[in-house]
Amino acid sequence: MQPIKSIKDIPELDLFTGGSSVCAGCGPSMGLKLALKVLGPKTVIINSAGCMTLLPLFPNTPLKVSWIHNAIENAATTAAGARHGLDALGFKDMNVVVYAGDGATYDIGFASLSSTAIKNERVIYICYNNQSYGNTGFQCTTATPYGSETKTTPRGKENPIGNTNIHKDMLKLMGVHRVYCATASLAYPVDFLNKLNKAKERNGFSYIELLGTCATGWNFDPRYTIKISRLAVRCGMWPLYEIDDRKLSLNKEFKQLKPVDEYLQLQGRYKQLPPDGVTKLQSLVNEHWAQLNEFNAKRYV
Amino acid sequence: MKHILITGNEAAAWGARLVEPQFIPTFPITPQTECIETLARWKVEGDLPGTDFERMESEHSVMSAAIGAAAVGARVFTATSSQGLMLMHEVLYIASGMRLPIVMANISRGLSAPVTLWSDHNDFLDQRDSGWIMFHAENNQEVLDMILQGYRVAEDPKVLLPVMVNMDGYVLSFTDEPVIIPSYEDVKQFMPAYDPQHTITPDRPVTVGPPVMDEYTDYKAQAHLASRNALTVLKDIQDDFEKIFGRRYHTVDEFMLDDAELVLITQGSMSTTAKAAILEMREEGVKVGLLRLRVIRPWPGEIICKALQNAKAIAVIDRNIAPGKGGIMLPEIVETLYHSNNRPLVSGFIVGLGGKPQTEARIKEITRKLADDLASGRPRIEWNDLEVS
């Protein structure tokens, strides 16, 4: 497959039509629309319960590809079953693609994901990471960043920080499964789609994590979805990198990261994060960025 | 066709082998392990050429993968037990809601806590409202035969529901019994190649399991009707089965019921013990018979009423307990008889929890107590079988 060099090369093919019931500025739905451009019509999406579950609402669907929604914690193993079934029936050319949120991926579905990855099932797993249980109204997951307020980590007298946990390093965890894994951002569609193309050509499992920029939960003006997706990368909050055969490659390198404050200021979820919280968050970002740079082009896991 | 000595676990594996499923996702749990070990061995020895055998990381994922494979149109088999079945509970409803003809053997075992490895029926009776068709075998031959019949029922276009074939752990799962293994040719005659009603193919996009609004009721009503259809379908299947294999099964198993005044209602392997006890009691002139529930869902109420039309007193022997209520099958039988012209006295006996053996002496004791109840006109609910053991 030819690499996509610029947005002009992105296929015009559109398998995600209008009429979905997602929020204005919804990042995850934009991600799926983009992804389907390279995945193509011979695709079955396996969805876990979450925001995207509301894309098809009987008897309508905005999708021109097949879709299976099972439960929340089992998208990966449902996909494994679909893969085995399709192979047995002779449809080896179908792409089996999971589109699951971070709650379903980092938390409740982690066992299912881990077993599917370690067996290297021919499945592309895309986690749309909106850093929360979004569909239930923005509660904390183990993907929620330090300092983010959520409905289950509200700021208050006894805890001015909001979420005090440091989020799970999912790429590293998936990396030790020795599968292809990568991060992606809506602001860098060429990078995202090339990673998907890479995953498509693998004869095994791939894990791609897309920042699921969420205007409703993160509380920002919906017109800023792409701006925030770009700032997340520029500030080091969402570095773009991949782990292939346990080797790390940074896909967007910057001599100097922008301060995280620039990213935080645009979002209601970080409003009123006290200065020491911002400092701690900045130090976490710096530490991760330094680690990525240290291991760039080297064995990482 | 061959006649061999095998366990219930092996009988279930043979049932699966003969129908040549395309996918078998598995996770081990005592006392089901021998079933999946047998399939794993056959796979590497080349006896399951068209079958994908997969190890999953939990029973929840076993059923999830079964759903994924069945949804795209593959024939699927699996087996589980007890805690594993409970872990599947959530996805059992999804399998039946999606109308996927999966067949699963459940080797029954009492539920924790405390831990027991031995059989009672709480594990699968807890799934009775899950929309699955539920069979319960008495012996190893019936295990194998129920799996063959299970696929026919599950895949019938008038039904399209998953089927659970239950057997008692240890008593059947680890006990050798002579079993007739049908030939592949006969099985093919009984069950032509799988032609799935619903598939996912590259040229035909479909949506499976979306959210619905008011239609929810319609989906559930259709699944209920489909389950009821299974009663009619099952009758035709049993006719076909007898023609090809020479063995006859009925929806309920009736034993010496024609003139029986006292009737024992049983399930599973203890029925064989009860039948032996009945033969002895008959010699003593006791008019006792037995009705064995072998199809739990759909509930064959009318057939049960007809079979019990001459009964004067009934003992429902429950190998399960719904704490705070009593036996699970007792109220089902009472409800069924409420609509019958014949209203016999009904007593309930809760026995054999956690595999506590049910002897012929115990069955005779229950029969004597039932005769007392009939004489006094006062039914009883007895939950503690320690007092007569």
Side-chain angles (χ1 to χ4, degrees):
Chain A
M1 194 162 299
Q2 288 284 34
I4 297 168
K5 289 196 184 102
S6 77
I7 50 171
K8 288 183 197 156
D9 297 337
I10 295 176
E12 281 181 25
L13 174 75
D14 192 4
L15 298 168
F16 187 130
T17 66
S20 76
S21 54
V22 297
C23 305
C26 168
S29 63
M30 292 181 204
L32 185 56
K33 191 181 177 79
L34 265 176
L36 286 171
K37 288 179 182 294
V38 298
L39 293 169
K42 290 184 177 181
T43 295
V44 52
I45 304 284
I46 314 293
N47 171 241
S48 61
C51 289
M52 293 301 102
T53 304
L54 295 174
L55 286 177
L57 180 59
F58 182 88
N60 304 309
T61 177
L63 298 162
K64 290 182 174 176
V65 294
S66 288
W67 175 273
I68 301 175
H69 165 253
N70 192 339
I72 183 168
E73 67 282 57
N74 58 0
T77 40
T78 305
R83 175 79 273 160
H84 283 269
L86 287 166
D87 288 353
L89 297 169
F91 299 120
K92 289 183 194 284
D93 59 343
M94 285 279 279
N95 300 309
V96 177
V97 180
V98 174
Y99 207 63
D102 51 294
T105 303
Y106 282 55
D107 292 350
I108 194 167
F110 189 62
S112 152
L113 167 61
S114 173
S115 80
T116 309
I118 204 73
K119 290 191 287 176
N120 204 22
E121 298 281 5
R122 198 157 57 86
V123 167
I124 301 170
Y125 193 110
I126 306 172
C127 170
Y128 64 91
N129 184 350
N130 56 18
Q131 303 180 330
S132 65
Y133 292 105
N135 198 36
T136 42
F138 199 57
Q139 296 84 18
C140 189
T141 69
T142 56
T144 304
Y146 175 88
S148 168
E149 188 170 31
T150 71
K151 297 272 179 64
T152 48
T153 55
R155 280 188 233 292
K157 263 185 276 175
E158 297 198 359
N159 172 17
I161 298 296
N163 176 34
T164 51
N165 289 339
I166 297 163
H167 67 275
K168 217 180 243 184
D169 189 344
M170 197 61 168
L171 257 276
K172 210 172 203 179
L173 281 170
M174 293 316 294
V176 296
H177 290 73
R178 301 180 183 222
V179 295
Y180 172 68
C181 39
T183 61
S185 159
L186 288 169
Y188 300 87
V190 171
D191 173 76
F192 174 38
L193 297 188
N194 279 325
K195 285 169 174 171
L196 268 177
N197 267 335
K198 221 180 220 184
K200 235 176 118 177
E201 283 171 10
R202 294 294 153 122
N203 188 26
F205 191 88
S206 336
Y207 178 84
I208 294 177
E209 190 158 326
L210 177 73
L211 183 64
T213 315
C214 171
T216 309
W218 300 3
N219 191 5
F220 63 80
D221 187 327
R223 72 182 135 152
Y224 291 143
T225 297
I226 301 303
K227 184 178 180 176
I228 285 178
S229 303
R230 182 174 296 112
L231 264 177
V233 177
R234 285 296 286 110
C235 297
M237 287 289 288
W238 193 260
L240 294 181
Y241 62 108
E242 58 194 339
I243 306 170
D244 198 356
D245 199 16
R246 298 194 281 163
K247 208 178 90 184
L248 183 119
S249 312
L250 256 178
N251 306 117
K252 289 283 167 218
E253 297 181 58
F254 306 105
K255 281 196 181 120
Q256 185 74 47
L257 290 177
K258 289 191 175 188
V260 292
D261 209 30
E262 206 170 311
Y263 172 72
L264 306 186
Q265 272 172 14
L266 287 171
Q267 303 169 56
R269 63 173 169 160
Y270 293 113
K271 228 177 231 170
Q272 296 164 347
L273 177 63
D276 60 333
V278 176
T279 309
K280 166 95 186 246
L281 189 53
Q282 183 68 64
S283 72
L284 288 168
V285 164
N286 293 348
E287 188 190 325
H288 189 219
W289 183 250
Q291 192 187 47
L292 293 180
N293 278 281
E294 183 189 341
F295 286 95
N296 191 16
K298 296 187 192 121
R299 191 181 145 182
Y300 182 51
V301 287
Chain B
M1 194 188 91
K2 56 183 172 180
H3 213 149
I4 57 173
L5 209 54
I6 52 172
T7 63
N9 275 326
E10 290 170 318
W14 265 107
R17 174 172 168 171
L18 290 165
V19 301
E20 300 175 304
Q22 282 135 337
F23 186 50
I24 305 180
T26 63
F27 186 85
I29 178 169
T30 304
Q32 153 266 34
T33 37
E34 188 193 23
C35 175
I36 62 165
E37 287 169 1
T38 303
L39 290 163
R41 194 179 65 246
W42 285 340
K43 178 63 196 166
V44 297
E45 287 169 357
D47 293 325
L48 296 169
T51 302
D52 234 335
F53 178 93
E54 264 305 315
R55 303 164 313 281
M56 308 306 292
E57 93 294 348
S58 72
E59 287 91 352
H60 194 283
S61 282
V62 164
M63 190 43 60
S64 301
I67 287 168
V72 303
R75 183 181 269 172
V76 180
F77 175 80
T78 188
T80 190
S81 174
S82 184
Q83 307 298 126
L85 188 64
M86 300 306 280
L87 188 56
M88 286 181 185
H89 183 70
E90 178 199 27
V91 256
L92 293 181
Y93 281 71
I94 294 172
S96 67
M98 288 179 180
R99 308 288 298 276
L100 302 173
I102 298 160
V103 174
M104 173 166 69
N106 176 62
I107 294 84
S108 81
R109 164 182 151 189
L111 298 169
S112 290
V115 177
T116 178
L117 299 178
W118 309 87
S119 175
D120 65 41
H121 305 153
N122 263 96
D123 61 354
F124 67 87
L125 288 179
D126 198 76
Q127 321 305 326
R128 70 195 184 280
D129 301 333
S130 65
W132 282 58
I133 288 170
M134 297 178 71
F135 296 161
H136 192 179
E138 180 180 354
N139 53 50
N140 294 350
Q141 182 71 60
E142 197 177 20
V143 169
L144 191 158
D145 294 348
M146 273 181 169
I147 285 169
L148 304 184
Q149 293 187 4
Y151 276 99
R152 270 284 297 268
V153 179
E155 292 168 2
D156 191 291
K158 292 193 283 297
V159 180
L160 291 179
L161 285 171
V163 170
M164 192 185 301
V165 174
N166 296 287
M167 76 174 96
D168 294 353
Y170 285 81
V171 180
L172 295 191
S173 71
F174 292 137
T175 305
D176 275 340
E177 288 185 344
V179 172
I180 298 165
I181 309 293
S183 68
Y184 282 96
E185 292 69 35
D186 284 352
V187 172
K188 281 203 172 67
Q189 200 194 332
F190 176 65
M191 213 163 51
Y194 182 37
D195 178 19
Q197 298 288 305
H198 303 288
T199 57
I200 287 178
T201 55
D203 51 351
R204 191 176 152 274
V206 291
T207 301
V208 184
V212 297
M213 302 301 276
D214 291 347
E215 302 84 2
Y216 185 82
T217 305
D218 302 299
Y219 276 100
K220 291 295 151 188
Q222 283 177 15
H224 172 64
L225 288 174
S227 184
R228 300 304 300 168
N229 287 345
L231 284 174
T232 320
V233 168
L234 196 54
K235 198 183 165 302
D236 297 339
I237 288 171
Q238 283 157 353
D239 290 344
D240 283 357
F241 192 87
E242 185 180 17
K243 265 182 234 154
I244 296 165
F245 302 106
R247 289 187 294 287
R248 177 75 208 187
Y249 292 98
H250 298 277
T251 305
V252 299
D253 179 15
E254 301 176 29
F255 185 75
M256 307 193 100
L257 277 189
D258 288 345
D259 63 340
E261 293 175 354
L262 307 176
V263 176
L264 311 179
I265 296 188
T266 60
Q267 274 176 261
S269 62
M270 79 162 106
S271 311
T272 309
T273 311
K275 285 172 183 174
I278 285 169
L279 287 175
E280 288 175 18
M281 288 187 281
R282 281 275 174 176
E283 303 241 311
E284 296 155 15
V286 184
K287 285 192 171 174
V288 58
L290 177 144
L291 184 150
R292 177 170 65 92
L293 299 168
R294 57 187 297 282
V295 178
I296 313 299
R297 288 290 182 271
W299 179 250
E302 285 176 24
I303 301 171
I304 292 169
C305 275
K306 204 167 159 230
L308 296 176
Q309 61 190 349
N310 299 326
K312 289 188 177 157
I314 291 171
V316 179
I317 305 180
D318 269 299
R319 192 169 210 154
N320 63 73
I321 187 164
K325 179 70 172 81
I328 292 170
M329 301 319 283
L330 175 67
E332 299 229 355
I333 294 290
V334 171
E335 179 269 337
T336 299
L337 291 171
Y338 186 84
H339 305 290
S340 170
N341 294 327
N342 179 34
R343 295 267 196 91
L345 173 139
V346 185
S347 286
F349 295 83
I350 293 168
V351 308
L353 302 182
K356 192 175 173 62
Q358 292 308 297
T359 58
E360 288 182 36
R362 176 68 172 124
I363 297 293
K364 287 178 183 175
E365 180 65 32
I366 288 172
T367 309
R368 273 197 294 279
K369 285 184 172 175
L370 184 63
D372 290 349
D373 295 347
L374 180 60
S376 69
R378 284 199 303 275
R380 80 175 76 201
I381 295 179
E382 183 180 293
W383 58 271
N384 184 356
D385 62 356
L386 286 173
E387 64 189 46
V388 292
S389 62

